[in-house]
Amino acid sequence: WREVLKWEGRMDELMEGQTNDGCNFILSVFARAHRSGMKSTGAIEHARSVTRLEERRVALLGAMERFRDQGEALCAVGDHLAMLRKRQEAATSFNRVRDIGAAHGFFSLESDACLGLGDLAMQEGRPEEGVELLRNALAAANLSESNESAYILNALRRLIAALFVTNAIDELEPLVPRFEEAAKMESREIGCLSCDELRCFYFRARLLQARGRPHE
């Protein structure tokens, strides 16, 4: 990623004469490099750079009428604004994603946007609203137009975590086995034990503890 970012100062020069697809590709490459940099160093400045680059992609993809990709880029903007603690701006981005999803029938965008909004609500001390948004994310994931299992697994993971916070044990009972089933499917798809399958043990242990059976 460091080698890629050496060229960032010449990014606009690289984009000159390119098609919209070419410009989108170049912006994506630099955004990915900053994501890698953030994972490697933890430097928050990378989140600011990702936000800036993804905002340019949002405008470009809208002009290209690639609305699903536009919504995904806008979700990335919201996620990184949330990392920067710009929660109101993040919520605005996620609500725009919901509008795009509703206008073009993309349930995956509705799911992703509700996950972002639900997480924000939980962080801001509004658990009832947060859980309701995360429930909506799961419902939309069930209707997702592509890679349904990944959307369902992501929504289940976040909803289950929120329900533990609110101590909604009865609602958790059927969701934890469902998460386990989805996680095992993920492991089969990738050909090795997934992190989510390991997370199942943690969820089951917490559920037993909440039921007053910690010795199990």
Side-chain angles (χ1 to χ4, degrees):
W1 61 270
R2 288 186 174 88
E3 291 300 314
V4 172
L5 293 183
K6 288 178 181 178
W7 291 86
E8 190 172 17
R10 300 181 62 185
M11 182 177 66
D12 288 328
E13 181 183 341
L14 292 170
M15 292 170 64
E16 286 182 11
Q18 294 286 340
T19 64
N20 283 343
D21 279 323
C23 291
N24 178 55
F25 175 76
I26 290 169
L27 290 167
S28 298
V29 167
F30 285 107
R32 282 197 299 271
H34 277 293
R35 286 189 181 94
S36 296
M38 186 163 52
K39 289 179 182 177
S40 177
T41 67
I44 200 66
E45 185 57 40
H46 289 294
R48 296 188 181 93
S49 296
V50 173
T51 301
R52 172 176 48 81
L53 291 163
E54 292 293 356
E55 284 174 340
R56 292 184 65 174
R57 290 188 66 229
V58 168
L60 182 61
L61 291 164
M64 296 167 67
E65 297 187 352
R66 287 174 51 180
F67 297 115
R68 186 170 184 273
D69 292 336
Q70 183 191 32
E72 290 180 349
L74 194 50
C75 264
V77 171
D79 287 337
H80 288 83
L81 285 171
M83 290 180 197
L84 295 166
R85 300 186 183 278
K86 297 182 178 181
R87 291 174 179 166
Q88 188 55 53
E89 293 177 47
T92 299
S93 295
F94 290 131
N95 280 314
R96 285 180 61 196
V97 174
R98 295 189 80 177
D99 291 341
I100 294 170
H104 301 284
F106 294 126
F107 287 100
S108 59
L109 296 183
E110 171 71 4
S111 182
D112 280 345
C114 286
L115 287 176
L117 289 167
D119 286 346
L120 287 174
M122 296 298 293
Q123 292 165 17
E124 292 173 351
R126 296 178 280 118
E128 290 184 4
E129 180 183 346
V131 166
E132 189 58 38
L133 283 161
L134 294 171
R135 288 186 187 118
N136 193 67
L138 179 57
N142 288 321
L143 301 170
S144 173
E145 66 281 351
S146 66
N147 199 9
E148 177 183 312
S149 61
Y151 284 100
I152 290 174
L153 191 60
N154 195 22
L156 279 168
R157 183 191 314 113
R158 311 265 274 276
L159 176 57
I160 288 170
L163 290 171
F164 275 122
V165 171
T166 59
N167 204 34
I169 306 305
D170 289 339
E171 187 174 352
L172 278 165
E173 286 279 11
L175 292 180
V176 171
R178 186 178 172 193
F179 179 80
E180 186 171 2
E181 181 181 344
K184 287 180 178 178
M185 182 181 298
E186 180 188 44
S187 293
R188 289 195 295 270
E189 288 174 354
I190 64 176
C192 62
L193 187 68
S194 71
C195 292
D196 279 316
E197 191 167 356
L198 289 173
R199 189 175 281 108
C200 292
F201 295 102
Y202 171 70
F203 283 159
R204 281 191 294 177
R206 285 199 65 181
L207 186 57
L208 287 169
Q209 187 176 30
R211 286 296 191 193
R213 294 149 53 194
H215 59 283
E216 295 184 34

